[in-house]
Amino acid sequence: MNAPAVLLINTSAGPVQVTTPVPRETWWMLARTDAATNVTQTPAWLDCVCATGPFRDASRLYEFESGGRLVLPLVTRRRRPPSLTAQESWPGGWGVGGPVSSGRVGPREARAVFDDLARLPALRVGVRLRPEDSEVWAGAVPAGFQEDRHTVHVLDLEGGFGEVWERRFHQSVRRGVRRAERSDVDVEVNRTGRLVPEFYQLFEQSIVRWAARQHEPLALARWRRKRAFPREQLEAVADLLGESCAIWMARRAGEPAAAIVVLRHGQHAKFWHAAMNRDLAHPVRANHLLHRLAVDDACAAGCLRYDMGGSRQGASLAAFKEGFGADLFVSPRYYRERLPVSAVDRGLRTAVKRVIRFQEG
């Protein structure tokens, strides 16, 4: 790996020293200092991204005159000239990136980072923010950047599992959990990656169900879903995160029925992926039991948030998450493009959906 480059740049907040890529020990120190840091904002997550895609580390460390420091996770594609590639935090499907800092980030610091990103020669620069940062950074976005509005459901774990069970889980969820507990469901959790093959078999079964529900040709659905979430991605995350990656598996009569992947860093647990055999899992509410156990485990580990990920408002998945007491938060993505790549991509996707009469699930 090449030695980090150290630059001094002028911004609207004054001169700022930028180091890229960020030294690992500095990044880890800030990740431990910033209590809001998600697992997807750590150096380990960057390693996962780079291990399963044509990416390299392009992270940037900002050091301000005030003494504050901020890390912005970024990757760029390998073996492409800057003008023909993107620098993103993160690429599609890898979730929230955004700043990790040693203290409170104000509008001046946020604008300084945007000033720097605006000058990068990349074809596209994109940053997906965690909900805690959306207000400050939204007020600092300069002209030329556009917004993709994402939302996430987050369950507050303050007070411990007893408080969550009694006051945040809805009655229907508690009823579903008890139904699963009375049924023939057996659950195990593994943090070594041993359950990756069984999880991915369930995921492939789920693709068939999703394709039928969305009126999507099965071959297209398989290509699209497995391209977005290849088995190698789950294997890399399980391997590189180790104990921080838990696969919860529910079985009926020894057969996999449902499974979820939950990641953890500091005070944050993140529900990352799920898959199920609906015929086995749904009648006994296996997914309710899996999340109940994962939430209990997160509380026992000292987590204060259980991120249940994004879903469209009004969708059945959103209703499922809200049943656990998860609240909806904005997690915006801001991006700047030198050519309208995203607009063209959206147009093509919309045209294909119209042709196949795609139905949003």
Side-chain angles (χ1 to χ4, degrees):
M1 180 183 293
N2 295 330
V6 181
L7 315 168
L8 187 65
I9 64 172
N10 290 315
T11 72
S12 55
V16 177
Q17 181 173 294
V18 178
T19 304
T20 181
V22 180
R24 289 302 177 90
E25 63 275 12
T26 302
W27 189 343
W28 274 119
M29 183 182 67
L30 292 182
R32 295 185 184 103
T33 300
D34 187 345
T37 300
N38 292 277
V39 65
T40 57
Q41 295 177 292
T42 66
W45 196 251
L46 179 140
D47 291 339
C48 294
V49 177
C50 294
T52 56
F55 302 106
R56 63 174 176 84
D57 185 357
S59 57
R60 299 174 83 79
L61 169 66
Y62 297 87
E63 298 181 84
F64 303 98
E65 287 185 307
S66 63
R69 295 193 296 175
L70 180 152
V71 167
L72 185 66
L74 279 173
V75 292
T76 189
R77 285 185 173 268
R78 298 192 298 264
R79 296 185 292 275
R80 279 194 189 178
S83 60
L84 296 178
T85 190
Q87 292 195 19
E88 298 192 85
S89 180
W90 296 105
W94 284 99
V96 171
V100 176
S101 64
S102 58
R104 182 183 177 278
V105 176
R108 284 173 56 82
E109 290 83 5
R111 184 56 188 261
V113 172
F114 274 124
D115 287 346
D116 176 52
L117 297 179
R119 284 188 285 228
L120 293 178
L123 179 62
R124 180 175 66 245
V125 177
V127 177
R128 171 83 181 274
L129 299 173
R130 59 195 180 193
E132 295 91 334
D133 300 321
S134 59
E135 184 175 346
V136 168
W137 287 76
V141 180
F145 279 78
Q146 301 179 64
E147 178 185 359
D148 272 342
R149 190 175 178 84
H150 296 265
T151 56
V152 295
H153 280 90
V154 181
L155 173 60
D156 180 5
L157 303 183
E158 293 272 5
F161 182 72
E163 179 79 6
V164 174
W165 173 266
E166 292 291 340
R167 298 186 179 276
R168 297 184 193 130
F169 283 11
H170 292 194
Q171 184 178 10
S172 61
V173 166
R174 295 197 299 269
R175 190 163 51 242
V177 169
R178 293 188 181 108
R179 180 173 176 175
E181 290 174 335
R182 292 192 302 267
S183 71
D184 58 344
V185 175
D186 295 313
V187 176
E188 74 166 310
V189 59
N190 179 265
R191 295 180 170 86
T192 68
R194 176 173 56 81
L195 295 178
V196 166
E198 285 183 285
F199 181 95
Y200 210 78
Q201 288 174 5
L202 277 176
F203 176 73
E204 291 178 321
Q205 292 175 26
S206 298
I207 293 174
V208 178
R209 186 180 76 256
W210 294 330
R213 185 180 65 199
Q214 295 175 161
H215 200 266
E216 183 177 9
L218 182 57
L220 176 60
R222 282 180 172 145
W223 174 83
R224 187 171 64 86
R225 297 277 187 171
K226 295 175 79 169
R227 183 170 177 262
F229 181 51
R231 175 170 166 167
E232 294 78 14
Q233 183 175 345
L234 179 56
E235 289 173 337
V237 169
D239 178 49
L240 293 169
L241 294 190
E243 287 284 321
S244 296
C245 174
I247 300 179
W248 296 81
M249 178 72 67
R251 293 189 175 88
R252 293 186 67 190
E255 186 173 351
I260 61 174
V261 182
V262 179
L263 314 176
R264 197 163 67 205
H265 171 80
Q267 298 178 352
H268 292 255
K270 176 180 176 58
F271 160 51
W272 188 41
H273 278 287
M276 70 171 171
N277 179 328
R278 184 177 174 82
D279 292 339
L280 291 177
H282 183 68
V284 295
R285 304 300 188 264
N287 280 298
H288 287 75
L289 180 58
L290 289 176
H291 282 287
R292 177 255 187 259
L293 294 171
V295 169
D296 194 356
D297 182 68
C299 290
C303 293
L304 300 179
R305 301 289 182 272
Y306 184 73
D307 179 351
M308 300 191 77
S311 48
R312 293 185 305 109
Q313 287 180 276
S316 59
L317 183 56
F320 176 80
K321 295 172 182 178
E322 289 162 4
F324 285 85
D327 295 314
L328 192 67
F329 295 91
V330 176
S331 172
R333 173 178 175 263
Y334 295 103
Y335 67 98
R336 182 269 296 154
E337 292 182 327
R338 300 194 183 281
L339 294 173
V341 178
S342 295
V344 172
D345 180 67
R346 282 194 299 270
L348 290 173
R349 290 172 185 268
T350 299
V352 170
K353 288 181 178 180
R354 188 178 297 117
V355 168
I356 66 175
R357 302 194 305 278
F358 185 88
Q359 298 174 4
E360 296 288 352

